[in-house]
Amino acid sequence: IDASALLASLLTELHAALRLLYEQPEILGREFDALCLQRGQMLLLRQGEQHQAGRCLGIGLDGGLLLETEAGLRSFYSGTLSSEDL
């Protein structure tokens, strides 16, 4: 493998993804949603001392994790996920 060619290819792909993120972020949100493997699963999201349980509804157009919780639909942008503690 030509390391220089590989690096150039990776940088080209990264540049395209960053441009897409800047110009049309909802496209990436749809792509991430299509790749979501946890849709329909009950998940526990930990954010420091706070915990939120809910059913995964996928990924929002803005990249947030969508959980249907007791309080309704919520979007999360950070945290640690688990399905084992439920």
Side-chain angles (χ1 to χ4, degrees):
I1 295 176
D2 180 354
S4 295
L6 178 62
L7 179 60
S9 177
L10 288 172
L11 290 175
T12 299
E13 291 297 320
L14 178 60
H15 181 263
L18 290 173
R19 172 169 273 155
L20 186 62
L21 180 62
Y22 177 74
E23 294 174 356
Q24 297 176 299
E26 68 281 355
I27 290 176
L28 286 179
R30 281 194 288 272
E31 287 185 22
F32 293 145
D33 184 52
L35 296 170
C36 181
L37 299 176
Q38 296 174 315
R39 183 185 323 280
Q41 293 183 24
M42 290 300 294
L43 300 174
L44 180 65
L45 179 79
R46 292 185 180 96
Q47 294 177 308
E49 296 297 317
Q50 297 195 358
H51 299 79
Q52 186 69 57
R55 181 170 310 282
C56 178
L57 299 182
I59 306 298
L61 293 179
D62 62 357
L65 173 70
L66 301 175
L67 289 183
E68 182 66 43
T69 69
E70 289 181 0
L73 180 62
R74 301 215 24 222
S75 187
F76 297 92
Y77 303 95
S78 66
T80 303
L81 285 174
S82 173
S83 60
E84 298 173 6
D85 296 335
L86 298 175

